[in-house]
Amino acid sequence: MDNKRCFKGRCPNFSSRYSLGKEATKKMVDVDGLLARGDFTHVSTLLPCPSFNPAGEFESFKSTKSAKKLIIKALKEERTNIIGVYGMAGVGKTTLVEQVGKQAKDEKLCDKIVKVTVSQKHDLQKIQDELAEKLGMELKENNEEVRAGRLLERLKQEKKILIILDDLWDRLDLTKVGIPCKETQKGCQIIMTTRRLDRAEVVETDELHTLARKVAKECNGLPLAIVTVARALKGKGSSIWANALQELKRSSPRNIEGVDKEVYSRLELSYNYIESEEAKLCFLFCCVFSEDHNIEVGVLMRYMMAERVFKGVNNFEEAWNIIHTLVEKLKDYCLLLDSDNEGCVNMHDVVRDVAMLIASRKENGFIVKVGEELTEWPENLDECKRLSLMGTSIGMLPEPPNCPCLLTLLLQRKKGLEEVPNNFIEGMKSLVVLDISNTKISSLPPSLQYLKNLKTLCLDKCQCLDNISPLGGLEKLEVLSVRQTAIKELPIEIGQLSNLKVLDLTGSDALTMVAPNVILRLSKLEELYMGDSFNMWEVRGSSGDGSKASFDEVASLARLTVLYIYCKDVKCLSVEVPGPWEKLKKFRICVWEGEYSSSDYEKCTSINIISYPLSKWVKLLLEKSEQIDLKRVSNIVRLLDDEGVSFNSVKGLNLYYCDEMEHFINTVEESHRVPPNAFKILQRLDLIGMEKLEKICHGPLPNRFFGNLIELNIDSCRKLKNILPYDLLEGLQSLEKLEVQNCEELEEVFDYEEEIHAITTSTLSTLKEMRLLNLPKLSCIWKGAIPPSGTFHNLSQLSVVRCHSLRCLFSPVLGQCLQQLEHLHVTDCLKLEKIIWDEEVNKTRQNFPSLPPPLTFQNLRRITNRGCPRLKDVFSWNIARGLQQLEYLYVYECEEIEVIITGEELGVVDKESLLPRLETINLIALPKLKCLCCHLNRGGGGSHVFLDFPSLISIWVYACPNLKRFPVRPHNASKLEKIQGRISWFEGLEWEDEGDMSRFLPLFDPYRW
């Protein structure tokens, strides 16, 4: 407007200004209209967070991969607010959480990710500034509370955000930073890394009230302390919580090597709040074992029974109930942990350190020197009650130590201990427990008989010991454990142990002689373990010469509650043997020729039926048994009808070599109707060596027959043509594992050609694992139509081995059901041509070219193909596009394979979308292999396609002479660390670019075979 002037610029141009004013007035009216119609509550958008780019390379160790999966799983749970990652310096915590963040972004678990380094001497304002910068904002205020408020409001605007707080050294109050807690922002998740056992403190939680929050605060955010204290106070009133709070405030932290000074007082508080003195002593006894030891609950019980810890308890049945109750209570307090080994528990190493310190107090009287390089006997044992020197290096025992108060002496696993001096035990008159298991002692000192108070003696795994006759003088002995020893004879002197309640000879398979009447004289015996040791019991009416113990002796033990025994003379099954059969709480009784039968159940009977009728004691045991093993049975219905065995309690049923049995259940004849309650809780069924078996079931079955069956194993049933026909379908609603092997005539596993229209429910939706081995005539896994509701929805593992008649594993429809399959193992299938017969898919796409093929195998992580000579490729690209989780690809000894992934002209291969997580490729003995991925042309030719492998770490190529071109390029596999193969192969490769070879050469590891 200033440029439009009159008179050489001296005067304004009034005409122009009038026109502009008129135009401005009109536009103001237009603007007012727009304002009236518009919505301008938001006039800008948030500045996007800087992109999250992990810097480190993720080490693909088993532990880090496992940790990564656990963190991702936790992030998927909406209730998870804070995740702690603990580990010493340099183990890769930062790289781990960065990779977690990347995966979380890829899987859309969060919209944004910000990472802030806290460091050892954290500066709150510095943390706030870094967080603000990552959020695209600036904090100019100096007041920390104001800054925190601004950050809080900013974070509340994010729908789903992940915050990584790296290198946390000390307690951090998230609210002071400005990070929302669980109650205030559910879309905010936090991962913290620390080398100090998770120093993060959650100030607000949903579950705890104000008092509980204060107790948690006194625990300084230490997870181990918080959990143990919380468990100790669970269910207590507010006054007890208040008292605990005061105790925590008054406690003076102690310096214990390897234990955080504040953890000690918190764990001690948990110990103090254990109401039962028995539970406290049980806890302390657990520290006498080595670190990470699988502590046998039964061994604990035997030690404590000997010390008369359980007041007023004189029998081991009650003691078992008490010890299980105590152990569960300690697990509830998080002072003990579950073990992978059955019948065992573990103790956290930090908890054990605290337990050892508590145990060492004068009133408790423990001295624990487990695994230490001790060369001399410890001193000052005058007041010691329990001494544990397990695994120490003391070669010679002193003569004699003064231990007048010693109750329990534990010397097992002592390196080099070959002899116990005769006078070693003279100063141990109070001793009630002596454990010298797993040592090299070859004899017992005669002075052992002077331990008049000894109640428990353990000599397990003393392989050099073959004579235990000196034990006859131990009149008060209640427990004698000689498991896995080399003793050949149970001598007459053992019969003098008139107070013996537990005799454990488990695994002493050299034992071939038990003198007559030795067992008979042990009238107070409550537990007898001889399952896999002596088995030459004589039976009334047999041709025995009376030189060995008889089965009747065992039956005469009226107090027995636990019996593990093995008898090879099956004649006893027809002999009436009165005994304590009704009183037995745990038993594993095996009467047959062959190997002793093991079991996962507490009540197991294994018998070889050679004649009927069965004796009453056998039928009684069968009725009580949770597992039943039967050999040479001709008709299972005979047991149900004529013998009156209901099978109501059986959970595991194993049939071996029942050569005359054509059907496991045959109900065609009216007389063979199955009772409705038979097998109602059966969980596992094994059919092995059934030469004439044609069908598992023949005839009508009760509703939901086998409804609780979890595992089905079939082995060496030659005449069986299929495993599960349609009439068993509706009953198998719980099946999780199926294994079929060595069935020569088997043609299909599942046969649903008949009455498929009647199936309306989901089929085999619980099946997780299937193994098909050595089935030479198997032509298909599934015969017939797939039910409308589908099948195999949760199958995660499939192994197919030596099934020579299979041409393909799955139809396209069946393949689409396998969305949870993780492991696929195919070996030595001589006629296999395809994993999935996808010709039908190709026809469909020709008719409907715009229709994308359905995704298959979306969760497959590992595939192994070995010894399949007719296989020409592993997957078409139609199938490969679904392999988003594949990590391991192994292909061995497939003579006709020319390409691993076959591309087609009907679609365009998206290189970036195929195999994004593949880490390992092994290509071994594939003489015709030309390329990894090939794009086929209409004329029959093909062109090499380089795929992107963003996660590939290693590739191994051996005996693939026609693989002339290396299957990846440097920019397609940025994480590649190792290439293994022969030097001649690598040097003869043709390269897309000469620079590729020089880049890959440092990664090449020559393989010499």
Side-chain angles (χ1 to χ4, degrees):
M1 185 174 67
D2 290 340
N3 293 331
K4 295 183 179 181
R5 304 175 70 87
C6 299
F7 300 102
K8 298 181 180 181
R10 293 188 179 97
C11 297
N13 189 326
F14 294 105
S15 175
S16 174
R17 289 197 172 193
Y18 173 77
S19 298
L20 287 172
K22 190 174 180 181
E23 184 178 350
T25 302
K26 182 181 179 182
K27 287 191 175 183
M28 285 181 65
V29 173
D30 293 339
V31 168
D32 288 339
L34 291 172
L35 286 172
R37 297 194 304 271
D39 180 8
F40 296 98
T41 54
H42 292 88
V43 294
S44 66
T45 58
L46 293 172
L47 189 65
C49 299
S51 59
F52 177 76
N53 297 309
E57 293 295 326
F58 184 58
E59 291 292 338
S60 188
F61 298 120
K62 184 177 180 180
S63 57
T64 51
K65 288 175 68 176
S66 174
K68 183 180 176 183
K69 288 179 182 178
L70 287 173
I71 299 170
I72 291 294
K73 183 179 179 181
L75 287 174
K76 291 179 179 179
E77 298 177 3
E78 292 186 1
R79 295 180 60 187
T80 303
N81 180 230
I82 296 178
I83 302 167
V85 178
Y86 162 71
M88 65 179 68
V91 299
K93 299 184 297 295
T94 300
T95 304
L96 171 63
V97 295
E98 286 179 345
Q99 293 298 325
V100 165
K102 182 178 183 299
Q103 185 172 337
K105 192 73 178 290
D106 292 343
E107 294 186 12
K108 295 182 170 44
L109 300 180
C110 56
D111 300 324
K112 294 179 180 177
I113 302 171
V114 294
K115 174 175 168 284
V116 177
T117 302
V118 179
S119 74
Q120 186 170 1
K121 294 182 179 180
H122 67 253
D123 182 329
L124 186 60
Q125 287 202 4
K126 184 178 178 182
I127 295 170
Q128 290 174 328
D129 285 335
E130 186 175 352
L131 180 59
E133 182 182 352
K134 297 291 176 65
L135 291 170
M137 60 183 293
E138 184 180 0
L139 298 175
K140 296 182 179 180
E141 301 85 356
N142 292 322
N143 186 288
E144 290 179 353
E145 290 185 8
V146 175
R147 293 160 62 91
R150 284 197 60 200
L151 282 171
L152 184 63
E153 289 303 313
R154 173 64 178 83
L155 287 169
K156 283 182 178 180
Q157 297 177 46
E158 297 293 343
K159 199 171 183 180
K160 291 169 68 178
I161 188 169
L162 174 63
I163 300 174
I164 298 174
L165 299 176
D166 190 32
D167 199 19
L168 193 70
W169 280 73
D170 216 332
R171 202 171 28 161
L172 181 66
D173 190 333
L174 300 180
T175 56
K176 288 184 178 180
V177 178
I179 297 175
C181 297
K182 190 171 184 179
E183 290 178 348
T184 55
Q185 177 69 7
K186 291 185 178 180
C188 179
Q189 290 180 303
I190 302 148
I191 298 178
M192 300 178 176
T193 74
T194 179
R195 64 184 70 177
R196 298 191 61 190
L197 198 55
D198 219 351
R199 280 286 192 165
E201 177 184 357
V202 184
V203 177
E204 296 286 338
T205 68
D206 292 328
E207 294 80 11
L208 299 181
H209 298 294
T210 304
L211 194 57
R213 290 195 196 105
K214 292 180 180 179
V215 171
K217 187 175 182 179
E218 285 299 318
C219 292
N220 291 313
L222 298 163
L224 187 61
I226 290 175
V227 171
T228 51
V229 169
R231 291 292 181 89
L233 300 176
K234 184 175 70 173
K236 304 293 191 297
S238 58
S239 59
I240 296 178
W241 278 86
N243 182 62
L245 177 62
Q246 294 306 313
E247 287 190 38
L248 286 172
K249 289 181 176 179
R250 287 195 302 266
S251 64
S252 45
R254 307 196 183 194
N255 293 318
I256 316 169
E257 186 176 354
V259 180
D260 189 289
K261 62 183 181 179
E262 293 172 340
V263 170
Y264 170 81
S265 57
R266 279 61 182 165
L267 293 178
E268 184 184 33
L269 178 78
S270 299
Y271 169 81
N272 292 336
Y273 270 83
I274 299 175
E275 297 173 352
S276 163
E277 292 299 320
E278 296 171 347
K280 285 184 176 180
L281 195 52
C282 180
F283 171 70
L284 298 182
F285 258 112
C286 289
C287 78
V288 304
F289 302 93
S290 59
E291 189 173 296
D292 300 322
H293 183 75
N294 288 306
I295 304 166
E296 290 187 60
V297 175
V299 171
L300 272 179
M301 184 266 290
R302 292 173 182 180
Y303 291 171
M304 297 175 71
M305 270 291 282
E307 288 201 17
R308 294 296 184 262
V309 175
F310 311 136
K311 303 301 181 185
V313 175
N314 294 314
N315 67 74
F316 280 80
E317 182 182 349
E318 289 184 45
W320 273 111
N321 295 333
I322 293 172
I323 194 68
H324 283 306
T325 301
L326 298 180
V327 166
E328 289 303 315
K329 183 178 293 186
L330 292 172
K331 285 196 288 188
D332 284 345
Y333 279 40
C334 288
L335 296 174
L336 290 181
L337 306 170
D338 285 316
S339 168
D340 292 334
N341 291 13
E342 186 181 0
C344 297
V345 291
N346 294 126
M347 179 177 265
H348 191 286
D349 53 353
V350 174
V351 175
R352 179 178 176 271
D353 290 338
V354 174
M356 286 173 62
L357 193 65
I358 296 172
S360 66
R361 294 173 183 168
K362 182 177 179 179
E363 64 269 21
N364 294 321
F366 284 81
I367 294 180
V368 179
K369 303 288 184 181
V370 175
E372 296 184 14
E373 293 297 324
L374 290 180
T375 56
E376 296 182 0
W377 190 260
E379 299 178 351
N380 303 321
L381 301 178
D382 295 356
E383 297 181 345
C384 178
K385 299 176 185 177
R386 295 135 190 142
L387 177 61
S388 177
L389 300 175
M390 298 184 196
T392 57
S393 301
I394 302 173
M396 296 291 293
L397 299 178
E399 299 185 12
N402 184 32
C403 310
C405 301
L406 194 63
L407 298 173
T408 296
L409 176 59
L410 309 176
L411 300 174
Q412 55 263 55
R413 301 195 315 277
K414 276 182 56 60
K415 305 168 186 176
L417 180 60
E418 298 179 358
E419 181 185 8
V420 178
N422 193 39
N423 61 350
F424 169 71
I425 55 181
E426 287 183 1
M428 304 179 186
K429 303 299 184 184
S430 301
L431 201 66
V432 295
V433 175
L434 175 61
D435 196 332
I436 47 179
S437 300
N438 205 359
T439 59
K440 296 181 179 180
I441 61 169
S442 57
S443 62
L444 298 172
S447 60
L448 196 65
Q449 61 184 311
Y450 297 119
L451 292 176
K452 297 299 183 182
N453 293 304
L454 193 66
K455 293 181 176 62
T456 293
L457 175 62
C458 300
L459 303 168
D460 303 338
K461 297 183 180 179
C462 293
Q463 294 293 332
C464 299
L465 182 66
D466 59 5
N467 181 17
I468 57 173
S469 56
L471 303 180
L474 299 174
E475 298 174 358
K476 293 186 179 181
L477 194 68
E478 295 179 350
V479 176
L480 175 58
S481 184
V482 278
R483 298 183 290 180
Q484 300 181 43
T485 61
I487 62 170
K488 299 176 181 178
E489 179 182 1
L490 195 66
I492 296 174
E493 288 83 356
I494 297 300
Q496 301 172 20
L497 303 176
S498 57
N499 285 294
L500 197 66
K501 297 181 179 181
V502 178
L503 176 59
D504 194 343
L505 292 156
T506 301
S508 294
D509 51 13
L511 183 63
T512 56
M513 182 64 192
V514 176
N517 299 321
V518 171
I519 300 296
L520 181 66
R521 294 168 64 189
L522 303 176
S523 59
K524 293 185 179 180
L525 211 58
E526 299 176 21
E527 300 183 5
L528 177 60
Y529 301 89
M530 297 183 68
D532 47 357
S533 57
F534 180 73
N535 55 40
M536 306 301 290
W537 301 95
E538 293 192 359
V539 179
R540 261 187 297 126
S542 66
S543 58
D545 57 7
S547 62
K548 296 178 179 178
S550 72
F551 195 76
D552 285 27
E553 290 184 48
V554 176
S556 70
L557 300 173
R559 299 188 182 186
L560 274 184
T561 57
V562 179
L563 175 61
Y564 287 22
I565 191 170
Y566 177 24
C567 178
K568 284 192 172 184
D569 193 339
V570 296
K571 292 179 182 177
C572 69
L573 296 175
S574 301
V575 177
E576 289 299 340
V577 185
W581 316 117
E582 291 188 9
K583 294 181 180 179
L584 293 179
K585 304 299 181 183
K586 291 173 60 178
F587 57 87
R588 195 168 299 165
I589 299 172
C590 182
V591 184
W592 62 22
E593 293 184 0
E595 298 296 324
Y596 177 69
S597 177
S598 61
S599 174
D600 295 329
Y601 298 103
E602 291 187 346
K603 301 173 183 179
C604 173
T605 302
S606 305
I607 58 176
N608 183 355
I609 300 178
I610 57 171
S611 63
Y612 294 100
L614 296 174
S615 60
K616 292 180 181 179
W617 72 272
V618 175
K619 288 192 281 188
L620 178 61
L621 288 176
L622 290 175
E623 200 66 25
K624 289 167 61 77
S625 293
E626 296 174 309
Q627 176 174 318
I628 297 176
D629 304 328
L630 300 174
K631 276 186 182 179
R632 314 295 179 189
V633 178
S634 60
N635 191 336
I636 199 73
V637 179
R638 171 76 184 269
L639 288 173
L640 285 163
D641 290 349
D642 300 346
E643 298 296 329
V645 180
S646 69
F647 292 99
N648 286 347
S649 301
V650 66
K651 297 178 182 177
L653 178 62
N654 304 320
L655 299 186
Y656 300 96
Y657 314 114
C658 302
D659 298 336
E660 300 301 317
M661 189 179 292
E662 296 181 359
H663 310 98
F664 170 60
I665 296 291
N666 183 351
T667 63
V668 172
E669 299 179 19
E670 187 67 29
S671 59
H672 289 146
R673 292 294 179 187
V674 180
N677 292 329
F679 308 111
K680 63 179 180 180
I681 61 171
L682 186 67
Q683 297 175 353
R684 173 174 173 153
L685 175 63
D686 287 12
L687 303 175
I688 299 173
M690 315 278 280
E691 292 285 335
K692 294 185 179 181
L693 190 72
E694 297 179 358
K695 287 185 176 181
I696 295 178
C697 297
H698 183 51
L701 297 171
N703 187 35
R704 288 185 56 83
F705 193 68
F706 290 152
N708 289 298
L709 191 68
I710 295 174
E711 185 172 344
L712 176 60
N713 299 302
I714 299 176
D715 187 356
S716 302
C717 299
R718 294 185 179 181
K719 290 193 174 183
L720 205 58
K721 299 253 183 212
N722 62 62
I723 305 300
L724 297 174
Y726 70 92
D727 52 354
L728 276 178
L729 178 63
E730 291 189 356
L732 294 172
Q733 296 299 310
S734 303
L735 189 67
E736 295 182 6
K737 182 178 180 181
L738 173 65
E739 181 169 315
V740 187
Q741 57 183 325
N742 305 317
C743 297
E744 297 175 7
E745 299 297 322
L746 192 76
E747 297 177 358
E748 60 267 343
V749 182
F750 307 96
D751 181 5
Y752 296 121
E753 282 197 319
E754 302 180 59
E755 300 193 16
I756 191 68
H757 61 277
I759 301 172
T760 57
T761 58
S762 182
T763 310
L764 298 172
S765 60
T766 56
L767 188 65
K768 296 178 181 178
E769 181 179 356
M770 181 161 56
R771 303 185 68 217
L772 307 174
L773 293 82
N774 199 22
L775 307 171
K777 292 188 178 182
L778 184 71
S779 59
C780 63
I781 294 175
W782 187 286
K783 183 180 179 181
I786 306 299
S789 56
T791 187
F792 296 159
H793 298 301
N794 287 292
L795 187 68
S796 61
Q797 298 184 50
L798 174 62
S799 297
V800 183
V801 179
R802 292 188 297 279
C803 297
H804 300 318
S805 298
L806 270 178
R807 293 185 62 203
C808 78
L809 296 185
F810 315 109
S811 68
V813 177
L814 185 58
Q816 291 167 35
C817 296
L818 301 171
Q819 297 305 318
Q820 298 303 318
L821 189 67
E822 294 185 6
H823 300 279
L824 177 60
H825 180 91
V826 185
T827 299
D828 295 333
C829 295
L830 301 183
K831 294 183 179 180
L832 190 72
E833 298 177 17
K834 290 280 187 179
I835 302 296
I836 289 186
W837 206 264
D838 53 0
E839 291 181 359
E840 298 174 31
V841 176
N842 294 336
K843 291 178 182 178
T844 302
R845 296 193 66 248
Q846 286 177 337
N847 295 327
F848 304 97
S850 62
L851 184 67
L855 295 179
T856 308
F857 299 152
Q858 289 176 282
N859 283 290
L860 191 65
R861 298 183 182 277
R862 181 188 298 264
I863 180 169
T864 301
N865 272 7
R866 185 168 196 156
C868 300
R870 293 194 181 183
L871 200 65
K872 293 192 175 183
D873 58 56
V874 180
F875 294 118
S876 69
W877 83 268
N878 289 336
I879 306 302
R881 36 188 303 275
L883 303 176
Q884 298 297 298
Q885 305 297 327
L886 190 68
E887 297 174 1
Y888 304 97
L889 174 62
Y890 302 140
V891 187
Y892 304 92
E893 301 165 6
C894 297
E895 298 169 9
E896 295 296 322
I897 276 194
E898 298 180 4
V899 61
I900 303 301
I901 300 173
T902 306
E904 303 172 2
E905 66 175 0
L906 297 174
V908 178
V909 177
D910 183 357
K911 297 190 299 180
E912 296 182 359
S913 66
L914 295 183
L915 313 178
R917 294 197 178 156
L918 187 63
E919 297 179 5
T920 302
I921 301 175
N922 287 2
L923 306 173
I924 312 296
L926 308 174
K928 293 187 178 181
L929 182 69
K930 295 180 180 179
C931 61
L932 194 65
C933 183
C934 182
H935 185 71
L936 299 181
N937 303 319
R938 288 188 182 275
S943 58
H944 187 94
V945 177
F946 288 101
L947 300 181
D948 287 342
F949 295 109
S951 303
L952 189 64
I953 295 173
S954 71
I955 181 168
W956 181 19
V957 179
Y958 176 77
C960 300
N962 284 300
L963 187 63
K964 302 293 187 182
R965 201 174 276 185
F966 194 65
V968 298
R969 299 199 62 191
H971 64 277
N972 298 119
S974 59
K975 292 185 178 180
L976 190 63
E977 297 177 1
K978 185 176 182 179
I979 303 168
Q980 194 166 25
R982 288 204 168 184
I983 295 177
S984 58
W985 166 76
F986 189 76
E987 290 178 344
L989 286 173
E990 300 172 2
W991 301 91
E992 290 292 308
D993 188 298
E994 289 300 324
D996 290 359
M997 181 177 181
S998 59
R999 292 180 187 177
F1000 281 138
L1001 187 59
L1003 308 180
F1004 182 63
D1005 179 15
Y1007 182 76
R1008 299 174 179 85
W1009 197 1

